[in-house]
Amino acid sequence: MSRPGIRRIVVIAVVLLGLCGIAFAAIAYRPAIARVTRPDPRQFDPALVARGANLARLGNCVSCHQAAGGRPYVGGYPIKTPFGTIYGSNITPDSATGIGSWSPAAFRRAMREGVGRDGSHLYPAFPYTHYAGVADGDVDALYAFLMTRPAVRAVPPANRMIPPLGFRPLLAGWKLLFFDPQPVVADPRQSAAWNRGRYIGETLAHCTACHSPRGLLQQEKRGDRAYDGGWSGGWYAPPINARSPAVRAWTVERLDAYFRTGLSTAHAAAAGPMGPVTYNLARAEPADVRAMATYYAWQMRAAPAARAEPRLPDRRALAGQRHPEGARLYDGACAVCHEPGAAMMVAGRPALPLGTPLHEANPRDTIQVILKGLKPPVAPRGPYMPAFADALDDRQVAEIVAYLQARHGTGPAWPDLETDVAAARKEGE
Amino acid sequence: MIDLTVNGATARVDVDPATPLLYVLRDDLRLHAAKFGCGLGQCGACTVLVDDRPVFACLLPVGAVGARTVTTVEGLGSAAAPGDVQRAFLHEQAAQCGYCIPGMIARAEGLLRKTVTPTETELRSAMAPSLCRCGTHMRILRAVRRAAVMRGGGVVEPAEPVT
């Protein structure tokens, strides 16, 4: 090819690239919204603040916007993703490091469109894909609530993203692919409680963020795959749709009790990331919590246990023959609380075979409960289990899990248990 | 027969492998520092170190210890020659009835073997599994802070000023 020919191709390529860049910049560019002076906390109607407090509990904001041992809304909690670690931001009304200089319009844009006050795109770890459906009045109530919290000057650790994902304009591309905000339209065929529960659950409470599987770019799978089980902080969030593995029906009553106390006596205690969720729900408006129970019981209405609760086997002898070391370890470490007739059973804790983890498609939650134990999720008095991470090694935990599944499980045997114990140790918080 | 390494010495015991380590320590090896409290892993009175990590000896089957080393408070010093953590507890007069203290000391020792510069949050979460019904927690925390300094470190306060 002649030199002018090459030159022409280069020029055209540069022009095309430039046009693409301009087009992308046009899509990605969002203007900053001017700083405002921090609103005087006394200007907010106390009723609006109280409404916002309830919504913040339903939305479980502190799970990400509070570090372990830190203060609420100050941020700093690490959210581990396949693309790096993102730290929850400071959403106290400190003007320098929080959202004190954000106007209501800036706050609304962040909630609805995932754009910060300065015009930068927010990572979808902040679930604006859900908050886009929050009603105007509720966004304003949350704003009023947050702006009346104590202002704390604190900068969370910098995000650690795999290059080039630290370059936020790229998130505009993610939004083009996956951000398709849909309003939650009331279904007149359903009850007011069902509709309220759906509104809360699908928007502020963002339940699918953990309970739905995610795609390659961490987008939530929707449609038939919604509520089909997902991952959160090294724990498995089981399906809460027709494929719920629970062996007892999730009725409205049982879900309501579980949400408010962190314990369902027909299932198990709230564990892992679900613990803080119940802590907050226990402090939210009971009518709203019951509405969520109404909607999620409906989501699981076609689950196997909702149709017929199975008889639960106790294959003690067989499991002991197959996993003799697991049986010995269970006898020495677990039986004192979990065996029928043990003190904790007499105290009304759910029997081991009722626990949903033993019936899940993978062993992760059973392993995590053994490694990390349970903290009373809602109040100092509540379900507790000591952690065994330091007492037992990977092989020993795997032996116990194999024994438990052989004795009580209802699904196919889990393979590669020891590998998963090692992974659970690494991924768990 | 089960072989154990406890406080640097080896011991051979003839017990069912599902027997809790605590019973073996107290009944067979006559090491009475670790206490039976609840037997459910809820109070921490039985805490000992297994390979430098605090565990509830009441819930650890002796057969699961294997080659790991066990350390009880007897292994950290004696009444005549107390170890540094014990001296720190004495200095702060951290014991009331004393029942929880061997577990507390084991837990403190485990924390300080991991780091001599824990944060206050790390200190509190490390000590949280052990309960003291007398209410000497503040003195116990002071004792652990003192012990951290004695080991060349100290508890660092997380900086988070309020505006």
Side-chain angles (χ1 to χ4, degrees):
Chain A
M1 205 182 280
S2 66
R3 287 182 65 92
I6 292 172
R7 191 176 299 160
R8 187 177 302 159
I9 288 170
V10 169
V11 168
I12 290 172
V14 166
V15 168
L16 279 177
L17 270 175
L19 284 174
C20 286
I22 290 166
F24 183 74
I27 293 166
Y29 174 74
R30 304 302 302 270
I33 293 177
R35 288 177 176 278
V36 295
T37 309
R38 179 188 167 190
D40 183 343
R42 288 166 300 187
Q43 79 173 58
F44 294 102
D45 174 7
L48 192 66
V49 173
R51 179 173 158 193
N54 178 49
L55 296 167
R57 288 170 193 138
L58 293 169
N60 198 33
C61 309
V62 285
S63 262
C64 292
H65 290 289
Q66 179 176 13
R71 271 176 292 168
Y73 308 106
V74 175
Y77 173 82
I79 302 153
K80 289 175 188 142
T81 78
F83 306 118
T85 302
I86 298 165
Y87 292 87
S89 56
N90 179 350
I91 54 170
T92 72
D94 178 58
S95 292
T97 62
I99 60 168
S101 64
W102 292 35
S103 64
F107 182 73
R108 194 173 300 165
R109 185 174 73 170
M111 290 284 287
R112 290 277 170 67
E113 301 171 43
V115 177
R117 186 204 59 77
D118 62 358
S120 61
H121 290 280
L122 303 176
Y123 290 103
F126 173 61
Y128 52 81
T129 48
H130 293 270
Y131 300 162
V134 179
D136 285 346
D138 286 343
V139 176
D140 292 343
L142 276 167
Y143 181 79
F145 171 70
L146 289 172
M147 287 297 171
T148 50
R149 296 311 91 203
V152 179
R153 183 152 298 182
V155 181
N159 297 335
R160 291 193 311 263
M161 304 302 288
I162 298 167
L165 299 176
F167 184 61
R168 287 176 180 264
L170 291 175
L171 290 164
W174 188 92
K175 287 177 176 175
L176 273 181
L177 290 171
F178 303 119
F179 184 34
D180 177 25
Q182 303 282 347
V184 178
V185 183
D187 183 343
R189 293 165 302 176
Q190 299 285 354
S191 68
W194 184 96
N195 275 298
R196 176 74 178 158
R198 181 173 71 145
Y199 165 70
I200 298 165
E202 301 287 353
T203 65
L204 273 173
H206 61 285
C207 306
T208 56
C210 294
H211 284 282
S212 287
R214 287 177 184 262
L216 210 57
L217 293 174
Q218 288 297 294
Q219 78 280 13
E220 287 174 25
K221 300 221 167 145
R222 293 191 280 190
D224 185 43
R225 300 298 309 280
Y227 296 114
D228 220 5
W231 294 87
S232 175
W235 293 69
Y236 181 60
I240 52 170
N241 54 18
R243 286 175 284 272
S244 161
V247 290
R248 291 293 175 262
W250 276 112
T251 61
V252 176
E253 292 299 329
R254 285 168 174 173
L255 261 180
D256 189 34
Y258 176 71
F259 287 157
R260 285 184 297 101
T261 65
L263 177 71
S264 165
T265 52
H267 300 87
M274 192 64 196
V277 173
T278 59
Y279 178 92
N280 290 311
L281 290 179
R283 287 152 178 81
E285 280 296 327
D288 285 341
V289 176
R290 190 161 182 95
M292 288 176 68
T294 304
Y295 177 64
Y296 286 103
W298 178 87
Q299 281 285 355
M300 292 185 275
R301 69 196 180 286
R307 296 162 182 272
E309 295 184 341
R311 279 174 56 88
L312 296 174
D314 187 352
R315 299 176 290 260
R316 185 178 182 179
L318 182 75
Q321 282 161 22
R322 279 202 204 144
H323 306 285
E325 186 180 357
R328 271 198 301 278
L329 290 165
Y330 171 90
D331 285 346
C334 320
V336 66
C337 288
H338 287 290
E339 198 59 16
M344 299 313 292
M345 295 296 100
V346 175
R349 294 288 183 251
L352 209 44
L354 292 175
T356 306
L358 282 174
H359 310 285
E360 288 172 0
N362 64 69
R364 181 55 68 87
D365 290 340
T366 303
I367 291 169
Q368 290 288 35
V369 170
I370 295 172
L371 289 177
K372 272 113 193 163
L374 298 171
K375 292 179 193 68
V378 163
R381 186 187 165 93
Y384 164 87
M385 173 171 150
F388 285 87
D390 288 341
L392 302 170
D393 64 25
D394 292 356
R395 194 185 52 77
Q396 290 167 338
V397 174
E399 288 286 343
I400 293 176
V401 174
Y403 168 76
L404 288 176
Q405 209 209 9
R407 183 171 166 184
H408 297 300
T410 48
W414 294 315
D416 300 327
L417 283 171
E418 206 174 321
T419 313
D420 208 50
V421 177
R425 276 192 205 267
K426 248 185 245 158
E427 289 172 33
E429 39 205 88
Chain B
M1 284 293 185
I2 290 170
D3 289 317
L4 287 175
T5 306
V6 181
N7 297 335
T10 54
R12 173 164 289 193
V13 289
D14 181 14
V15 292
D16 183 323
T19 309
L21 171 64
L22 178 67
Y23 297 2
V24 175
L25 292 174
R26 292 183 60 87
D27 300 343
D28 297 271
L29 304 181
R30 303 279 160 194
L31 295 168
H32 295 138
K35 301 287 188 286
F36 182 93
C38 65
L40 303 169
Q42 297 190 358
C43 76
C46 67
T47 304
V48 300
L49 293 175
V50 175
D51 268 2
D52 299 339
R53 292 184 175 171
V55 304
F56 299 123
C58 74
L59 290 184
L60 182 63
V62 66
V65 177
R68 295 183 287 172
T69 60
V70 179
T71 307
T72 69
V73 169
E74 287 95 338
L76 300 177
S78 63
D84 54 0
V85 180
Q86 289 160 311
R87 289 203 304 281
F89 272 68
L90 281 170
H91 192 278
E92 296 293 346
Q93 289 291 290
Q96 178 66 20
C97 86
Y99 202 79
C100 71
I101 294 297
M104 292 285 185
I105 289 177
R107 209 161 275 290
E109 179 71 28
L111 171 69
L112 297 178
R113 284 186 185 182
K114 203 160 76 176
T115 172
V116 292
T117 53
T119 64
E120 183 67 23
T121 305
E122 285 168 337
L123 165 65
R124 285 170 186 242
S125 69
M127 299 305 290
S130 283
L131 308 182
C132 164
R133 292 297 184 195
C134 303
T136 63
H137 290 99
M138 300 318 283
R139 285 174 180 237
I140 290 169
L141 291 174
R142 279 209 298 275
V144 187
R145 289 188 204 109
R146 173 176 289 274
V149 173
M150 288 160 78
R151 292 224 178 150
V155 174
V156 290
E157 300 287 340
E160 194 197 83
V162 181
T163 54

